[in-house]
Amino acid sequence: MSIHRFAPRHFHATLGAHEPVMRIADGDTVITNTVDAHGYDHENIHRGGDTNPTTGPFFVEGAEPGDTLAVTIKRIRMNRRMGWTRQGLAWHVVDPARVRDMPAREKIFWQIEDNAKLVRLESPTAPLKSWTVPLKPMMGCFGVAPADGEFISTATSGHHGGNMDYNRFGEGVTAYFPVAVKGALFCLGDAHAAQGDGEIAGTGIETSAEVEFSVAVRKGVTAHWPRGEDAESIFTVGNARPLEQALQHATSEMLDWLAQDFGLDTVSASHLLGMHVRYDVANVFNPAFSVACRLDKQVLASFPRRG
Amino acid sequence: MSIHRFAPRHFHATLGAHEPVMRIADGDTVITNTVDAHGYDHENIHRGGDTNPTTGPFFVEGAEPGDTLAVTIKRIRMNRRMGWTRQGLAWHVVDPARVRDMPAREKIFWQIEDNAKLVRLESPTAPLKSWTVPLKPMMGCFGVAPADGEFISTATSGHHGGNMDYNRFGEGVTAYFPVAVKGALFCLGDAHAAQGDGEIAGTGIETSAEVEFSVAVRKGVTAHWPRGEDAESIFTVGNARPLEQALQHATSEMLDWLAQDFGLDTVSASHLLGMHVRYDVANVFNPAFSVACRLDKQVLASFPRRG
Amino acid sequence: MSIHRFAPRHFHATLGAHEPVMRIADGDTVITNTVDAHGYDHENIHRGGDTNPTTGPFFVEGAEPGDTLAVTIKRIRMNRRMGWTRQGLAWHVVDPARVRDMPAREKIFWQIEDNAKLVRLESPTAPLKSWTVPLKPMMGCFGVAPADGEFISTATSGHHGGNMDYNRFGEGVTAYFPVAVKGALFCLGDAHAAQGDGEIAGTGIETSAEVEFSVAVRKGVTAHWPRGEDAESIFTVGNARPLEQALQHATSEMLDWLAQDFGLDTVSASHLLGMHVRYDVANVFNPAFSVACRLDKQVLASFPRRG
Amino acid sequence: MSIHRFAPRHFHATLGAHEPVMRIADGDTVITNTVDAHGYDHENIHRGGDTNPTTGPFFVEGAEPGDTLAVTIKRIRMNRRMGWTRQGLAWHVVDPARVRDMPAREKIFWQIEDNAKLVRLESPTAPLKSWTVPLKPMMGCFGVAPADGEFISTATSGHHGGNMDYNRFGEGVTAYFPVAVKGALFCLGDAHAAQGDGEIAGTGIETSAEVEFSVAVRKGVTAHWPRGEDAESIFTVGNARPLEQALQHATSEMLDWLAQDFGLDTVSASHLLGMHVRYDVANVFNPAFSVACRLDKQVLASFPRRG
């Protein structure tokens, strides 16, 4: 279980079967850097493309199609003081009659205060003069190479993960991805210093980061959509438009997970979900929307876990 | 500020300008009963129609179109031991390819243990043998008479409230409804003993209840969609299909509320929401879906409130 | 089979169980007037509300819940020279990024030349100087009282018909509505001089009209959604949001019709539809969208018709 | 303007920057073969993958990003007697409550009678004993390499074209694709012998074909979505879910085309579309749905065309 350091020199605008930058073993840890959503690094030097350029891919030894790759995000350290968002909300999260009232989508800058664990607007409007946001770093875009030879833009998401922009993909989370190609080919990028549900401003606080993650191969465990787990809950993520379809995918995937790991048949799982499910609108901005179907671990405590 | 007791003798299948059952003053409290979603009362006697028959309407003196009616749900007491749900999940919350795997939608019975504050399946499947659900009563369907002379089925929802089936409409919540007719004409029904997000089983635990609520008229405060407030958060509810439109309504309404009560211009409100908004999928089952746009009160603590 | 003349004095903003204006027999014909979508009559005098005020309801003797009411639109005579639309397209039929490019939604006036059977812009833009539109009158809003005691706004549509704004509901069409209350209670209004698919300008050419229609009761023929038939085709109309749900309703209703009247089982009907179905986006503007599922009568010629 | 013959030996499961199989000049014609949607050729020998394997790509000299590639489908000759569909309708084109009534999705075989220009079921159900379908060949999947380095599955569609399954993409049509990479890299496959709107059976009559097409480069003409033109009409195709978004894309693209080639400003184009637009639901089955926005050429006859 080695620890690797990797300094990326180029970045990818798609998730796909690119040439691996490094081969790592099941259980290994990697410390690397990601550039911001427009390709700027910790010194604000342009290093990649302009839509979520990703670092990687990392070839994970032993990962085969049909397996699941578990990636634990151990740490996301903000390595730049500057972050940015856009002014106003995305035009499709308000009523069409409101679009014309929205301000121009100018770039807005924030100061990331890593020690104080907060973020503040650089030029706040009057009501926001003393407003600060707790620092809560997350990965906007990460995942594996898709199936069927696709190379899918890092602007969007799918079965393979990608640009899900879900604020629970933060420090301490373990994300699970369906392996579609030998070695899984994991990539990551687009860190956010903080973000509400839905990424309704069209961005989180976009910045560069140093990221430490470890990988584990779960042989023969089949997933169809990304899954995740943190101290509080387990969740599945459906990526599609419209929201209803993303929700269908996430719910169906949760039924699979509850059967696989908790031995719950469809009727039992339906009763459980009917009373306890939580849905998060992870993002309602990207070409594919992301909806998470989530269960508190406390709810699951009485069901023995096999996985 | 009187306390009224009202024992309903008939129930309504629509929200609209029905003959009021009682006139109450601004500030008054009412203690009354509601039947379950199929019209059965606390003795399991059939008293109303078969789709969320409601108690009321209550004419609130002083409420005029353009005002907002605040209704505080002080208490929801489960007055029947039997509750019911349906087996399996609603067919449109899973992938179309899963519909055929779903069980028949038989009625399933639960025991409501009011003293123990929990609910248990009457005939549990093996994995759910020792499973109990915390009692967390909520109102499935409540609201005021709609505008434009409409009488809208209690199966669905709209600007006027109605069958939103949102699990945050529980004890202690204050709901705000846009008044569209003189006297507001408030109705309520369809109590649930517990329910997860989205009402994805197609029901909560359906039962009868004794409900205590008080009303307040907020003169000249214009809302377009239901709003709500509990100890933890404020929220707005958009009712529409698809989910994206419900989310647009809820978000637009929150922008209005933040402007009215917290003095936040669109740009400031957008920054705040971009970092702190939470969305709840209240229901994804009824003819109109309901999405809540929610903010923790803690986030708002530094903004002086006018409302 | 009498012919009645009816001059309306008031108009309804909802479809529902209003007091009938006239009782007519199965087979009768009515000649009456409708005001425009804002309530203005043939002399441009304001007579009704401002959202598709309708004439009626007509009580059809013998019509009972479970029957279908057939209404043949024999004639729609434009009785006013002035029609109006809005400038630009509705905001939700273009990409959100285009909304801000759309012009203000000013009222635009047209001249209806009934003898020449055409319509022309009153103040055309330069490229449209010599442009005329063939006159092709249609009924925007018509239908029966809904089920369950609902009174539904004439701005929208449902099982009962209503504001479908479908350009095939023109002269010569027979529309079929599911009867939900005794007497059916048929209403009509909102004539258009012409309109493309989808009502994407948010209006047709809105005007007043004299309309001649006849009714027939089809005992024991159950429909769930409006159906229609003209010289060329038969069609079913689903009314809902989003478009996909409207399409599901229309397709399911066509399966029912093909079984009822043409003896086609699901597999046979699916083959037929798979090769021959046409879908029309009737309107993509109103609160409920309308999609028609349509088959050429020529395709059906070889299947004996029972209905 | 040469005529090339090309016999494919391998097929692609994605549209993307694959190695070209042939370089052709602006104006050239190609005669080649396509396999069916499951990869079977004219002798029913399996030659490719199992989801719309395509022939190509063809590198078109002179085509650069920002240009538009015009492809005229001169001829689609059915070179196999056997075609297939699926039994029943796709599950998401009927009401969720109908899914369980649908038959198993077995493969169904058809006989393609090229001389008689018709197709018939091999084992018809009783009511369809004498039913035949006019032969009307079309290309299900064709397009160019996408932008941003993507390789997109031939199961779906996008700005670049792809699996649009639109029944107007038949013999005589000219399709226009936005060129995103040098040489355009045109591919084609998935011919259908006939198909109704929406591809609601989940397939057309799937078969192999010999196809003759010619290409033309329109320098500096920018399109964002596929366009098309046949003897009767011009149309634009939006590819997305849900249908509403596909319709928004198609409508916005038509506004662009009317400005570019017919000199119509937004207001004029909106009037024209408001009265004359037709929408076709091209497919409502694939991962991305396709909606066409269409205008009769007759409507456009009075506007001088520049393009």
Side-chain angles (χ1 to χ4, degrees), chain C:
Chain C
M1 305 226 260
S2 316
I3 299 184
H4 308 269
R5 290 189 172 267
F6 175 71
R9 286 210 292 237
H10 61 274
F11 301 86
H12 290 292
T14 56
L15 294 182
H18 298 286
E19 187 65 28
V21 293
M22 182 179 274
R23 295 175 79 95
I24 60 178
D26 187 349
D28 282 2
T29 290
V30 175
I31 300 172
T32 190
N33 301 314
T34 58
V35 291
D36 77 10
H38 282 183
Y40 290 81
D41 72 4
H42 63 290
E43 293 180 306
N44 209 21
I45 297 171
H46 194 239
R47 303 285 302 279
D50 60 358
T51 306
N52 303 330
T54 52
T55 298
F58 298 90
F59 184 103
V60 183
E61 281 165 11
E64 306 273 353
D67 299 338
T68 293
L69 180 71
V71 177
T72 300
I73 301 295
K74 294 171 147 185
R75 197 167 48 85
I76 306 174
R77 189 175 67 78
M78 305 282 89
N79 64 5
R80 194 173 76 190
R81 196 178 161 80
M82 184 271 282
W84 57 269
T85 58
R86 292 276 177 198
Q87 190 171 241
L89 297 180
W91 293 338
H92 53 279
V93 304
V94 293
D95 290 333
R98 293 293 187 99
V99 172
R100 298 165 76 97
D101 305 333
M102 277 288 146
R105 301 276 289 141
E106 283 167 24
K107 225 167 174 172
I108 299 294
F109 297 96
W110 303 66
Q111 290 173 353
I112 300 168
E113 303 182 8
D114 197 41
N115 293 337
K117 297 296 168 204
L118 56 81
V119 192
R120 64 176 78 239
L121 278 166
E122 202 168 284
S123 306
T125 55
L128 300 182
K129 273 283 183 298
S130 56
W131 179 59
T132 60
V133 177
L135 183 68
K136 192 153 177 272
M138 55 171 274
M139 296 313 302
C141 180
F142 65 151
V144 295
D148 301 324
E150 284 199 302
F151 287 68
I152 295 181
S153 166
T154 50
T156 192
S157 60
H159 290 281
H160 65 292
N163 195 31
M164 297 177 283
D165 287 314
Y166 181 27
N167 53 29
R168 282 191 176 256
F169 282 135
E171 291 184 324
V173 80
T174 297
Y176 303 95
F177 299 102
V179 177
V181 303
K182 201 174 157 63
L185 299 180
F186 174 72
C187 285
L188 72 166
D190 186 28
H192 298 172
Q195 185 208 287
D197 280 3
E199 204 194 26
I200 60 172
T203 69
I205 296 177
E206 307 290 328
T207 191
S208 64
E210 183 186 277
V211 183
E212 181 178 343
F213 67 89
S214 64
V215 297
V217 179
R218 307 188 70 191
K219 296 301 296 180
V221 175
T222 301
H224 295 96
W225 291 99
R227 300 173 178 181
E229 177 169 2
D230 57 20
E232 187 188 14
S233 53
I234 70 167
F235 55 85
T236 53
V237 183
N239 302 315
R241 274 203 193 192
L243 285 171
E244 189 178 351
Q245 194 186 15
L247 182 146
Q248 289 172 341
H249 294 327
T251 309
S252 300
E253 184 70 15
M254 183 58 86
L255 290 175
D256 278 350
W257 197 357
L258 293 176
Q260 288 169 346
D261 280 17
F262 298 91
L264 294 178
D265 58 279
T266 301
V267 168
S268 300
S270 297
H271 286 318
L272 194 77
L273 291 171
M275 292 304 124
H276 288 303
V277 73
R278 294 290 170 254
Y279 286 106
D280 292 326
V281 177
N283 95 69
V284 62
F285 176 76
N286 300 324
F289 297 154
S290 299
V291 170
C293 176
R294 186 159 54 86
L295 276 175
D296 279 356
K297 283 186 166 174
Q298 194 180 327
V299 167
L300 291 163
S302 56
F303 304 100
R305 183 168 181 177
R306 306 166 182 172

Side-chain angles (χ1 to χ4, degrees), chain B residues 142 164 166-170 173-176 225-238 250 253-254 257 278 280 282 291-297 300:
Chain B
F142 65 151
M164 296 177 284
Y166 181 28
N167 53 27
R168 283 191 175 257
F169 281 133
V173 80
T174 296
Y176 303 96
W225 292 98
R227 301 173 178 181
E229 178 169 2
D230 57 20
E232 187 189 14
S233 52
I234 70 167
F235 54 85
T236 53
V237 183
E253 184 70 13
M254 183 58 88
W257 198 357
R278 293 290 170 253
D280 291 327
V291 170
C293 176
R294 186 159 54 86
L295 277 176
D296 280 357
K297 283 186 166 174
L300 291 163

Side-chain angles (χ1 to χ4, degrees), chain B residues 77-294:
Chain B
R77 189 175 66 78
M78 304 282 89
N79 62 7
R80 195 174 76 190
R81 196 179 161 80
M82 184 271 283
W84 57 268
T85 58
R86 293 275 177 198
Q87 192 171 238
L89 297 181
W91 293 338
H92 54 278
V93 305
V94 294
D95 289 334
R98 294 293 186 99
V99 172
R100 298 164 76 97
D101 304 334
M102 278 289 146
R105 302 276 289 140
E106 283 166 26
K107 225 166 173 171
I108 299 295
F109 297 95
W110 303 66
Q111 291 173 353
I112 301 167
E113 305 182 9
D114 197 41
N115 293 337
K117 298 293 170 208
L118 57 80
V119 192
R120 62 176 80 239
L121 278 165
E122 202 169 283
S123 308
T125 55
L128 300 182
K129 273 281 182 299
S130 57
W131 179 59
T132 59
V133 177
L135 182 69
K136 189 151 177 275
M138 55 171 275
M139 297 312 301
C141 181
F142 65 151
V144 294
D148 301 324
E150 285 199 302
F151 286 69
I152 295 181
S153 167
T154 50
T156 192
S157 61
H159 290 282
H160 65 293
N163 195 31
M164 296 177 284
D165 287 313
Y166 181 28
N167 53 27
R168 283 191 175 257
F169 281 133
E171 292 185 324
V173 80
T174 296
Y176 303 96
F177 298 103
V179 178
V181 304
K182 199 173 158 65
L185 300 180
F186 175 72
C187 284
L188 71 167
D190 186 30
H192 298 172
Q195 184 208 288
D197 280 2
E199 204 193 26
I200 62 173
T203 69
I205 296 177
E206 307 289 329
T207 193
S208 63
E210 182 185 278
V211 184
E212 180 178 343
F213 66 89
S214 63
V215 296
V217 180
R218 306 187 70 192
K219 295 302 294 179
V221 174
T222 300
H224 295 96
W225 292 98
R227 301 173 178 181
E229 178 169 2
D230 57 20
E232 187 189 14
S233 52
I234 70 167
F235 54 85
T236 53
V237 183
N239 301 315
R241 270 202 196 193
L243 286 171
E244 187 179 352
Q245 194 186 15
L247 182 147
Q248 289 173 342
H249 294 327
T251 310
S252 300
E253 184 70 13
M254 183 58 88
L255 289 176
D256 279 350
W257 198 357
L258 293 176
Q260 288 168 345
D261 279 17
F262 298 91
L264 293 178
D265 58 279
T266 301
V267 168
S268 300
S270 297
H271 286 318
L272 194 78
L273 291 171
M275 292 304 122
H276 288 303
V277 74
R278 293 290 170 253
Y279 287 105
D280 291 327
V281 178
N283 96 71
V284 62
F285 176 75
N286 300 324
F289 296 154
S290 299
V291 170
C293 176
R294 186 159 54 86

